[in-house]
Amino acid sequence: MITIENGKVLYGEGMDAINANVVIEDDKIIEITKDKVRGGKKIDARGCIVAPAFINSHVHIGDSIACDVGDGKTIAEIVKPPNGLKHRILEGSKPEEIINSMKRSMNDMLASGTSTFVDFREGGLEGILLLEEASEDIPIRKIVLGRDNAFFDPDVGNGEIKSITKNLLKSCDGIGLSGFGEIRDEVVALIAKICEKHGKISAIHTAEYEKLQEDSIKATGKSEVQRAVEADLNALIHVTAPVGNDLKLIGDSGSSVVSCPRSNGTLSVGIPPLSDMLKHKINVLLGTDNIMFNSPNMLREMEYALKVTRGYYREYFSPAEIFKMATVNAANAFDLNTGCIKEESTADIIIVKQFSVNSILSLINRTEPKDIVGLITEGNIVYIN
């Protein structure tokens, strides 16, 4: 048993700041109490915030081998599959180089308070196995969404797509598709249907910038968002450039949106309309996207997301809503029993020095990795500084 004592606890899905002790047994939080707890290991969190660990809902961890390469080139030149700059770098890199770069990024995530990440895993089964090898002995939860280059090939029939998808799903948690510019609608719908049948996740990059939307409407009479909703995917990545009634369609569908504001800023494609998404009751998550553009640091992502949203709308935007995008919203989207501190939740917890009276703003505005006193994942102490 572990008891985190004397801290300011962000309790429940509302992230209410309360003075309490958190009692952990095995991998679960078994009690939140103001009473003294006897027995077990004690962690003194006096002067600290006790918060849920972060969930990074969209990364391309293989890009760790190409940090800051291609700056100034267009988004298509850098990441459009199958011949983008990053894909050529990955193809030309040795497996051990890719593995070592992935290890570095996973350790960076742990150091900055992230317990879980969702990776769009390129390279088919081989790419999945590379990540499995890289993550051995690293105490981080990974949700792996695979893909295969055959998905891009117009000459590959639906029967073969079905077979490839089923084989991939034996080794990963779902399928993460690049975008409608590379994949036929019937293939997207087929993959989403297979994922649903097998209880797996389906996701796609959608409406990342205006030209994609324009091209989609010109070619099909539908926006990328409409096509994604019709395919019944679980998660849409980006939606930086919605048009018409796109946001209403997503809200009505129940699909989640993973926003990646720093990536959008780096690539000069826009600012995600987070406030409008929430008005349409969309479950919004945060991801740091390509590691070649950004560090996988959710503290940086939250701060940028909060401030750029306030600047974009010229009005107040709640820091609690941003914090939920990095925690409980993601847990709900991916059916994880974590993302908030409450009884019976999985114990994924960070202990962080508090610098201001507003606990959530202290985390978003002030915290650096060096200020994280401790990280617990699945009830196990990863580090106590």
Side-chain angles (χ1 to χ4, degrees), residues 171-283:
S171 302
C172 63
D173 303 291
I175 302 295
L177 299 172
S178 56
F180 284 102
E182 297 83 45
I183 305 172
R184 306 188 309 275
D185 287 47
E186 64 187 75
V187 171
V188 174
L190 176 61
I191 289 171
K193 185 175 181 180
I194 295 168
C195 286
E196 182 181 15
K197 183 178 179 180
H198 288 80
K200 303 279 188 167
I201 300 161
S202 60
I204 193 168
H205 296 87
T206 310
E208 187 171 1
Y209 51 95
E210 292 173 357
K211 188 175 186 306
L212 293 176
Q213 290 278 64
E214 293 166 0
D215 290 347
S216 177
I217 292 167
K218 184 177 179 180
T220 68
K222 300 174 182 179
S223 72
E224 285 200 338
V225 167
Q226 185 177 350
R227 294 159 72 187
V229 169
E230 288 178 357
D232 201 21
L233 294 140
N234 301 128
L236 313 184
I237 314 301
H238 296 303
V239 193
T240 312
V243 296
N245 66 342
D246 277 354
L247 296 183
K248 183 179 187 305
L249 286 173
I250 299 171
D252 292 344
S253 75
S255 297
S256 295
V257 168
V258 184
S259 181
C260 308
R262 284 191 300 153
S263 174
N264 298 152
T266 297
L267 294 169
S268 309
V269 298
I271 296 170
L274 297 183
S275 184
D276 291 324
M277 290 180 186
L278 295 188
K279 287 174 184 175
H280 285 87
K281 302 189 184 306
I282 295 170
N283 186 43

Side-chain angles (χ1 to χ4, degrees), residues 13 15 55 57 234 254 256 283-285 324-325 327-340 342 345:
E13 294 196 3
M15 305 295 165
I55 301 169
S57 293
N234 301 128
S256 295
N283 186 43
V284 184
L285 326 177
K324 290 175 188 177
M325 293 174 192
T327 52
V328 67
N329 291 8
N332 290 338
F334 299 116
D335 197 25
L336 301 172
N337 185 31
T338 185
C340 65
K342 63 181 181 181
S345 286

Side-chain angles (χ1 to χ4, degrees), residues 37-328:
V37 178
R38 298 186 180 278
K41 180 177 178 60
K42 302 293 193 297
I43 299 174
D44 188 359
R46 197 181 312 271
C48 294
I49 303 160
V50 182
F54 306 128
I55 301 169
N56 188 339
S57 293
H58 183 63
V59 298
H60 294 264
I61 197 167
D63 295 10
S64 303
I65 197 154
C67 292
D68 299 322
V69 173
D71 187 52
K73 294 184 181 295
T74 68
I75 184 171
E77 289 174 317
I78 302 170
V79 297
K80 184 178 176 65
N83 299 312
L85 176 60
K86 84 159 189 175
H87 301 92
R88 299 198 304 273
I89 291 172
L90 286 169
E91 287 176 7
S93 300
K94 296 177 181 178
E96 58 268 27
E97 294 172 332
I98 297 173
I99 287 169
N100 288 335
S101 68
M102 288 178 173
K103 285 179 179 288
R104 183 183 66 245
S105 290
M106 284 183 275
N107 284 317
D108 286 347
M109 284 191 255
L110 291 173
S112 54
T114 291
S115 66
T116 307
F117 69 96
V118 183
D119 182 45
F120 266 45
R121 186 86 297 273
E122 293 101 344
L125 181 59
E126 182 181 345
I128 294 167
L129 294 176
L130 281 176
L131 179 53
E132 287 294 329
E133 184 175 347
S135 61
E136 287 180 1
D137 303 323
I138 297 179
I140 193 165
R141 182 185 298 107
K142 59 190 187 301
I143 297 173
V144 182
L145 305 184
R147 73 168 71 155
D148 193 280
N149 284 344
F151 296 162
F152 309 134
D153 190 341
D155 297 323
V156 176
N158 286 354
E160 190 173 351
I161 293 292
K162 188 174 182 179
S163 177
I164 291 168
T165 302
K166 286 182 177 180
N167 284 333
L168 276 179
L169 291 179
K170 293 176 184 177
S171 302
C172 63
D173 303 291
I175 302 295
L177 299 172
S178 56
F180 284 102
E182 297 83 45
I183 305 172
R184 306 188 309 275
D185 287 47
E186 64 187 75
V187 171
V188 174
L190 176 61
I191 289 171
K193 185 175 181 180
I194 295 168
C195 286
E196 182 181 15
K197 183 178 179 180
H198 288 80
K200 303 279 188 167
I201 300 161
S202 60
I204 193 168
H205 296 87
T206 310
E208 187 171 1
Y209 51 95
E210 292 173 357
K211 188 175 186 306
L212 293 176
Q213 290 278 64
E214 293 166 0
D215 290 347
S216 177
I217 292 167
K218 184 177 179 180
T220 68
K222 300 174 182 179
S223 72
E224 285 200 338
V225 167
Q226 185 177 350
R227 294 159 72 187
V229 169
E230 288 178 357
D232 201 21
L233 294 140
N234 301 128
L236 313 184
I237 314 301
H238 296 303
V239 193
T240 312
V243 296
N245 66 342
D246 277 354
L247 296 183
K248 183 179 187 305
L249 286 173
I250 299 171
D252 292 344
S253 75
S255 297
S256 295
V257 168
V258 184
S259 181
C260 308
R262 284 191 300 153
S263 174
N264 298 152
T266 297
L267 294 169
S268 309
V269 298
I271 296 170
L274 297 183
S275 184
D276 291 324
M277 290 180 186
L278 295 188
K279 287 174 184 175
H280 285 87
K281 302 189 184 306
I282 295 170
N283 186 43
V284 184
L285 326 177
L286 283 180
T288 58
D289 203 7
N290 299 77
I291 296 179
M292 68 188 299
F293 309 144
N294 298 309
S295 71
N297 183 327
M298 290 296 287
L299 296 163
R300 285 188 173 187
E301 199 68 39
M302 288 190 294
E303 182 176 15
Y304 183 90
L306 177 62
K307 293 175 179 177
V308 78
T309 299
R310 288 181 174 183
Y312 179 73
Y313 286 98
R314 294 177 172 82
E315 62 185 24
Y316 180 78
F317 191 86
S318 168
E321 293 296 342
I322 292 291
F323 195 79
K324 290 175 188 177
M325 293 174 192
T327 52
V328 67

